[in-house]
Amino acid sequence: MGAFRSLVSIGFFVVFVALSLQDAQAITRHYDFNIQMKSVTRLCHTKNIVTVNGKFPGPRIVAREGDRLLIKVTNHVSNNITIHWHGIRQLRSGWADGPAYVTQCPIQTGQSYVYNFTITGQRGTLFWHAHISWLRATLYGPIIILPKKNVPYPFEKPYKEVPIIFGEWFNADTEAIIKQALQTGGGPNVSDAYTINGLPGPLYNCSAKDTFKLRVKPGKTYLLRMINAALNDELFFSIANHSLRVVDADAVYVKPFETDTILITPGQTTNVLLKTKPSFPGATFLMTARPYVTGQGTFDNSTVAAILEYETPFLHSVTSMKKLPLYKPILPSLNDTSFATKFSKKLRSLATPQFPANVPQEVDKHFFFTVGLGTSPCDQNQTCQGPNGTKFAASISNISFVQPTTALLQAHFTGQSSGVYNPDFPYSPFHWFNYTGNPPNNTMVGNGTKLMVLPYNTSVELIMQDTSILGAESHPLHLHGFNFFVVGQGFGNYDPNNDPKNFNLVDPVERNTVGVPSGGWVAIRFLADNPGVWFMHCHLEVHTSWGLKMAWLVLDGKLPNQKLLPPPADLPKC
Ligand SMILES: *[C@@H]1O[C@H](CO)[C@@H](O)[C@H](O)[C@H]1NC(C)=O
Ligand SMILES: *[C@@H]1O[C@H](CO)[C@@H](O)[C@H](O)[C@H]1NC(C)=O
Ligand SMILES: *[C@@H]1O[C@H](CO)[C@@H](O)[C@H](O)[C@H]1NC(C)=O
Ligand SMILES: *[C@@H]1O[C@H](CO)[C@@H](O)[C@H](O)[C@H]1NC(C)=O
Ligand SMILES: *[C@@H]1O[C@H](CO)[C@@H](O)[C@H](O)[C@H]1NC(C)=O
Ligand SMILES: *[C@@H]1O[C@H](CO)[C@@H](O)[C@H](O)[C@H]1NC(C)=O
Ligand SMILES: *[C@@H]1O[C@H](CO)[C@@H](O)[C@H](O)[C@H]1NC(C)=O
Ligand SMILES: *[C@@H]1O[C@H](CO)[C@@H](O)[C@H](O)[C@H]1NC(C)=O
Ligand SMILES: *[C@@H]1O[C@H](CO)[C@@H](O)[C@H](O)[C@H]1NC(C)=O
Ligand SMILES: *[C@@H]1O[C@H](CO)[C@@H](O)[C@H](O)[C@H]1NC(C)=O
Ligand SMILES: *[C@@H]1O[C@H](CO)[C@@H](O)[C@H](O)[C@H]1NC(C)=O
Ligand SMILES: *[C@@H]1O[C@H](CO)[C@@H](O)[C@H](O)[C@H]1NC(C)=O
Ligand SMILES: [Cu+2]
């Protein structure tokens, strides 16, 4: 051995020790999530909301890459509950993913369930939220994944890190809102305000005291961990007189770029660096967010504001504080699709040896799904408030997903899928039409509980094509269990002969939620290396409720470490 001793082998040894030390550092972190009611006042309306541990927004989960999380969720409210760890890959641990009736039955009143999973190969910001009905309106909070110990960020070390979580506040009960909408067939009532860290801010009535304030020191770098937990709205966000440096999207590093405004869809997370000005400029800066909307229905067009405030080295009197100028950012117009397109094209994977973009270069299976709205028939003797007296519906490839009454993953694992789901989701829609031209006369959707089955390690390319039925609209599609690479996008109908030539197979952004452009298409690729049942759905909750969802069933591989683990003993039953 001595003869072989060299600098190289010493180097190897050091790397090996460092790696094993890092692994040894991975720990198990325990959290208790008690689901309980809490009385909360916003916009001068007091209501009882469902919370975790009485907190709104909910508690932060902070972990390092490689850690195991054990989160005990105990349900003390009358609603059924499940929690989803949005963006966590859940390698072989699909039982902990959380969507109701997909990977688990709900945690019923008085019951508890321990979500048990490891964070593998991810670092950045994600979030957790309820994944049943519209309960995520108030049940959400950040997941902060730090790199392994002694592994630096691939960007300047921030002085401080601050979660910025967007939400939607409804004065009315959101469960009543979606129940009413599904009964009448009309569009659900819209929110009364947007919130930043649970607070609507000074532009709303009765809310000046409910304003999030970010106090900063001059000349420092802050990492803002931004999360869009709103139910139904994509958002533009900007800070007056400051630019933002985007460094991470959906817990994957990106090539940094500067922008005045970011666009963030429900389900997306974005880390940005904010450099504060070198000296106290004697001003207060607003940070605001308002929606990007492409659909035709009514929506909440209001603006949420928070305040960026420079710490002062000495105390100003109250009167001098009042004289300070207040700057407001200018956001893109509510329908600025051109901004949305430019912004999404700036997002590129870091694609370095340390953080490679492992884009599948070869494709085993090609899929083409349409996403969009439609109608379903009104019950006899009822008058419906959807288009032309029908009910609003939504679908993938004209199949509006019917939620089963038992969990799909359980049905698959126990071999009792008959009567629960059909493994026959189509590769492409049954009928071609000019998807972005004049809509067909018949807008009625079909329905079913259909899954697309994939052998382990299938390399997948999926084109998602928006339709113009009841109006073209941007849909933020979220895939559970995987990150995917966004290899192409465009407007109009996808052209299978010419569009692939322009795909980016080098450094496309890797994420878990992507906006299908309004009146356009997006192409994604992923490797199906995670056995289980994985939900895919629009992250606009209203569209999910209307059926814009489906699931993939990824089969076990041959090797022992390619199989779904058995279900935990406390997995809730239906
Ligand atoms: C969590 O899951 C791992 C992997 O299946 C298992 O070894 C461990 O016992 C589980 N922990 C608890 C507390 O259930
Ligand atoms: C929705 O809005 C309508 C019109 O303002 C109102 O009559 C109805 O009660 C609202 N529904 C709920 C569930 O709050
Ligand atoms: C705010 O309050 C004023 C006065 O009560 C009222 O006229 C106005 O409509 C309210 N605005 C909103 C957005 O609720
Ligand atoms: C902020 O931006 C506005 C508009 O561009 C400009 O007039 C003002 O001087 C700026 N203020 C500071 C403190 O940078
Ligand atoms: C929001 O919508 C209301 C009602 O349609 C309209 O009166 C108002 O001008 C809109 N506000 C903005 C900022 O577009
Ligand atoms: C965007 O909205 C403005 C009015 O708010 C309208 O004039 C314009 O035509 C709209 N643009 C698109 C692309 O819909
Ligand atoms: C519809 O209403 C008629 C008259 O009220 C009644 O006879 C019939 O049973 C109803 N049909 C359904 C499906 O409810
Ligand atoms: C509504 O129904 C009428 C008559 O059935 C039809 O002519 C019209 O095209 C329909 N409109 C929509 C938006 O479906
Ligand atoms: C689809 O419809 C659009 C808009 O009407 C039209 O420009 C386009 O040529 C049509 N495409 C096909 C393939 O028919
Ligand atoms: C749709 O209906 C219109 C008028 O009823 C008719 O002229 C047209 O041919 C129909 N289009 C299709 C594709 O069936
Ligand atoms: C599915 O479609 C059939 C046929 O249109 C309809 O009878 C049934 O009510 C639908 N089921 C659901 C759950 O929407
Ligand atoms: C809760 O879930 C169980 C199991 O699916 C179901 O039987 C029950 O009706 C649900 N309860 C409520 C209040 O939704
Ligand atoms: Cu949608």
Side-chain angles (χ1 to χ4, degrees):
M1 177 69 196
F4 294 98
R5 208 166 272 153
S6 69
L7 274 180
V8 175
S9 66
I10 289 169
F12 244 97
F13 178 73
V14 171
V15 169
F16 178 76
V17 169
L19 282 178
S20 45
L21 270 181
Q22 274 172 23
D23 285 348
Q25 285 162 359
I27 60 167
T28 300
R29 296 173 192 260
H30 297 255
Y31 285 86
D32 272 315
F33 273 29
N34 286 298
I35 312 295
Q36 58 195 65
M37 301 306 290
K38 169 87 179 171
S39 168
V40 169
T41 305
R42 295 289 184 273
L43 312 174
C44 287
H45 282 256
T46 301
K47 68 169 183 172
N48 278 320
I49 62 170
V50 185
T51 66
V52 166
N53 302 344
K55 291 194 171 147
F56 174 67
R60 288 176 202 178
I61 287 184
V62 183
R64 282 191 191 279
E65 181 187 338
D67 287 352
R68 177 172 294 280
L69 285 167
L70 289 175
I71 304 159
K72 182 176 184 183
V73 178
T74 307
N75 183 359
H76 303 285
V77 304
S78 56
N79 310 75
N80 282 335
I81 298 291
T82 72
I83 305 283
H84 170 52
W85 319 94
H86 182 110
I88 298 275
R89 293 255 358 240
Q90 300 290 2
L91 291 165
R92 302 173 61 212
S93 58
W95 307 107
D97 192 39
Y101 303 105
V102 177
T103 60
Q104 69 166 98
C105 298
I107 306 168
Q108 298 185 38
T109 310
Q111 292 182 349
S112 62
Y113 177 47
V114 178
Y115 289 88
N116 174 359
F117 58 90
T118 302
I119 302 173
T120 308
Q122 297 183 282
R123 71 299 287 173
T125 307
L126 295 171
F127 68 122
W128 58 264
H129 63 75
H131 212 307
I132 181 163
S133 191
W134 276 27
L135 290 171
R136 75 178 181 85
T138 59
L139 275 177
Y140 61 81
I143 300 179
I144 291 163
I145 311 169
L146 303 170
K148 289 183 177 178
K149 250 191 192 144
N150 302 321
V151 176
Y153 293 125
F155 46 80
E156 181 185 344
K157 187 178 193 297
Y159 170 71
K160 268 200 177 143
E161 305 191 358
V162 186
I164 301 277
I165 188 158
F166 301 105
E168 263 180 289
W169 174 265
F170 295 76
N171 288 332
D173 172 20
T174 41
E175 288 303 286
I177 289 175
I178 184 57
K179 191 172 170 216
Q180 181 181 48
L182 293 178
Q183 267 165 8
T184 65
N189 291 0
V190 301
S191 54
D192 297 285
Y194 296 100
T195 55
I196 291 180
N197 295 339
L199 302 167
L203 306 184
Y204 294 101
N205 277 349
C206 197
S207 298
K209 65 175 192 346
D210 293 325
T211 301
F212 175 68
K213 273 192 189 163
L214 176 56
R215 290 204 177 81
V216 293
K217 287 188 161 57
K220 303 272 189 209
T221 299
Y222 291 78
L223 178 67
L224 307 185
R225 295 174 170 274
M226 297 197 285
I227 299 163
N228 188 347
L231 280 184
N232 293 318
D233 293 87
E234 305 189 24
L235 293 168
F236 291 123
F237 170 81
S238 184
I239 306 181
N241 296 72
H242 291 75
S243 78
L244 304 167
R245 192 168 174 81
V246 178
V247 293
D248 185 310
D250 294 359
V252 183
Y253 296 129
V254 298
K255 288 194 173 74
F257 67 92
E258 297 281 331
T259 183
D260 289 341
T261 300
I262 71 150
L263 172 63
I264 186 165
T265 78
Q268 290 183 336
T269 52
T270 311
N271 283 359
V272 303
L273 295 176
L274 166 70
K275 272 209 169 76
T276 55
K277 292 174 184 295
S279 64
F280 176 61
T284 300
F285 303 94
L286 284 188
M287 16 187 183
T288 61
R290 69 169 188 182
Y292 163 55
V293 178
T294 47
Q296 295 182 333
T298 50
F299 63 98
D300 175 358
N301 65 3
S302 64
T303 303
V304 54
I307 290 174
L308 179 71
E309 192 176 79
Y310 280 72
E311 279 179 15
T312 48
F314 50 87
L315 286 174
H316 284 260
S317 74
V318 173
T319 42
S320 78
M321 287 296 282
K322 275 191 179 151
K323 282 181 197 143
L324 296 177
L326 178 74
Y327 295 108
K328 275 191 191 180
I330 299 163
L331 288 168
S333 65
L334 295 163
N335 58 3
D336 196 342
T337 292
S338 153
F339 179 93
T341 308
K342 281 189 209 130
F343 183 80
S344 66
K345 286 191 172 167
K346 283 186 203 160
L347 289 161
R348 298 290 174 104
S349 278
L350 198 52
T352 59
Q354 197 186 356
F355 302 105
N358 294 320
V359 193
Q361 300 291 317
E362 308 290 330
V363 172
D364 299 324
K365 292 202 175 182
H366 292 265
F367 301 98
F368 178 90
F369 295 175
T370 58
V371 297
L373 304 186
T375 54
S376 65
C378 197
D379 292 339
Q380 263 178 38
N381 290 359
Q382 203 197 338
T383 43
C384 287
Q385 287 162 20
N388 246 354
T390 63
K391 288 180 153 188
F392 269 113
S395 74
I396 299 183
S397 294
N398 209 38
I399 299 161
S400 193
F401 186 85
V402 177
Q403 184 175 278
T405 52
T406 188
L408 300 172
L409 187 59
Q410 241 165 330
H412 159 65
F413 190 82
T414 57
Q416 292 172 315
S417 62
S418 164
V420 181
Y421 65 81
N422 292 309
D424 61 352
F425 197 90
Y427 278 62
S428 56
F430 294 119
H431 304 289
W432 184 90
F433 63 98
N434 187 342
Y435 302 114
T436 54
N438 289 328
N441 289 346
N442 181 2
T443 60
M444 290 289 171
V445 296
N447 67 41
T449 307
K450 294 177 183 296
L451 270 54
M452 175 59 78
V453 181
L454 296 172
Y456 183 80
N457 255 349
T458 305
S459 164
V460 173
E461 180 179 285
L462 168 64
I463 313 297
M464 290 185 282
Q465 169 77 59
D466 184 32
T467 76
S468 55
I469 297 173
L470 303 176
E473 183 166 1
S474 168
H475 297 278
L477 262 289
H478 171 52
L479 176 62
H480 290 227
F482 301 93
N483 284 335
F484 49 74
F485 292 91
V486 183
V487 298
Q489 64 176 69
F491 291 102
N493 293 307
Y494 171 69
D495 176 348
N497 297 316
N498 292 306
D499 287 326
K501 290 173 197 156
N502 301 319
F503 284 178
N504 175 2
L505 301 180
V506 178
D507 65 351
V509 69
E510 177 184 351
R511 60 188 327 167
N512 64 58
T513 306
V514 67
V516 177
S518 178
W521 55 271
V522 69
I524 64 171
R525 286 190 183 185
F526 65 96
L527 183 66
D529 59 356
N530 191 12
V533 174
W534 303 110
F535 210 21
M536 188 174 86
H537 59 94
C538 183
H539 220 278
L540 305 182
E541 209 55 49
V542 52
H543 293 172
T544 310
S545 301
W546 288 342
L548 208 168
K549 48 192 170 180
M550 58 81 70
W552 303 84
L553 165 53
V554 179
L555 302 174
D556 281 348
K558 290 199 179 76
L559 301 177
N561 65 356
Q562 299 174 338
K563 295 183 196 303
L564 175 68
L565 292 167
D570 60 345
L571 184 72
K573 292 180 177 59
C574 282

